[in-house]
Amino acid sequence: MRLEKCRKLLQHFQVRRVSDVIWTDEKIFTIEPLPNRQNQRQLLSKDDSMSPKRRLAHNRLFPKSVMVWAGITATGKTPLVFIERNVKINSEVYQKIVLMDNLLPWVTQHFAGGPFILQQDWAPSHGSRSTLAVLEAHFPGFLDKNLWPASSPDLNPMDFSVWGMLEGKIAGKVFATVDDLKAALEVAWASIDDGYLRRTVNSVKKRLRACVKARGSNFEILL
């Protein structure tokens, strides 16, 4: 199925421009970084095992967090949309807070009546009947389930590059509050330049071709 859809997307992008796609995704950010259990290790002699040389990483079991929705094109970034931890992203929330309150005004200004293509994953709130009606009315030409392959973060620039870039910009910092985290994310988001966006989006067709070559399997070793 993934192989078939990658072939369809390549055909689709012979007619439409990959630079017109709005690539979107959600990610949870926490107020404290998670320790890297592989790379943050110490080699100590037995005598030093309880000495002041020893460093311990402490993390709360459930640190405060916020869900972030965002999107990019080859020429710009949507606003970051923060969804609080106690808010469930059902169809109503996704349609109002993400699509209508934030994405639609941005699309109207950014594309100024020109063509665009919305990409999203197919979480239940994204694929409900009421959400599909909103998409058809305001975002016609979106990449539907017949085109976008499920479970393919390696094809979405938000997943394979942008979130990692954003995490790197705030890496190692501990934030006192969720508001401090949001402020840092806004600054980091604003610092991502259009040159990076263009290169990242332009790599999608190369990834699609690699996915086809790998017959729909893991293809990143071919890049």
Side-chain angles (χ1 to χ4, degrees):
M1 185 69 72
R2 185 163 125 113
L3 172 60
E4 178 185 346
K5 290 182 179 180
C6 284
R7 286 173 171 161
K8 285 183 178 180
L9 281 169
L10 283 170
Q11 292 174 353
H12 189 68
F13 290 135
Q14 289 178 353
V15 179
R16 302 294 303 273
R17 298 188 306 178
V18 70
S19 58
D20 289 337
V21 179
I22 311 165
W23 306 93
T24 70
D25 196 34
E26 303 94 5
K27 183 174 176 60
I28 294 175
F29 288 84
T30 61
I31 63 172
E32 56 186 45
L34 295 175
N36 186 320
R37 300 184 184 277
Q38 295 300 317
N39 297 332
Q40 295 178 350
R41 296 182 178 183
Q42 285 180 281
L43 295 177
L44 298 174
S45 68
K46 186 179 295 185
D47 294 337
D48 286 332
S49 62
M50 298 300 292
S51 79
K53 296 179 183 179
R54 184 178 61 162
R55 295 193 302 272
L56 298 178
H58 297 278
N59 283 82
R60 297 183 182 90
L61 184 59
F62 299 108
K64 291 180 179 179
S65 62
V66 65
M67 173 77 79
V68 182
W69 176 95
I72 66 163
T73 72
T75 57
K77 309 181 293 289
T78 71
L80 294 181
V81 179
F82 298 109
I83 300 170
E84 302 304 327
R85 186 172 180 173
N86 61 342
V87 176
K88 181 180 179 181
I89 307 182
N90 56 24
S91 297
E92 183 179 357
V93 168
Y94 181 66
Q95 292 162 29
K96 183 179 187 309
I97 297 179
V98 174
L99 297 180
M100 301 305 295
D101 290 354
N102 285 279
L103 183 56
L104 186 58
W106 182 84
V107 162
T108 302
Q109 181 181 32
H110 185 77
F111 290 98
F116 65 88
I117 306 165
L118 175 62
Q119 178 275 334
Q120 59 171 13
D121 64 31
W122 288 100
S125 62
H126 300 182
S128 67
R129 287 185 179 181
S130 59
T131 298
L132 289 175
V134 171
L135 294 176
E136 292 285 2
H138 299 286
F139 306 93
F142 63 92
L143 298 181
D144 62 21
K145 291 183 179 181
N146 292 322
L147 277 175
W148 186 251
S151 304
S152 294
D154 49 2
L155 296 175
N156 183 347
M158 290 298 300
D159 273 308
F160 69 71
S161 186
V162 177
W163 288 135
M165 163 77 78
L166 197 60
E167 281 184 315
K169 288 179 177 290
I170 63 168
K173 298 177 182 177
V174 177
F175 302 97
T177 66
V178 170
D179 285 340
D180 291 339
L181 171 62
K182 291 178 184 178
L185 286 168
E186 292 278 19
V187 171
W189 186 243
S191 72
I192 297 177
D193 64 88
D194 286 353
Y196 162 79
L197 297 178
R198 184 173 57 255
R199 292 189 300 273
T200 304
V201 169
N202 286 344
S203 71
V204 169
K205 288 202 286 188
K206 180 180 179 181
R207 285 175 169 265
L208 288 170
R209 288 191 289 268
C211 188
V212 170
K213 187 174 182 180
R215 308 291 296 173
S217 299
N218 189 313
F219 60 80
E220 291 188 314
I221 193 173
L222 302 176
L223 298 175

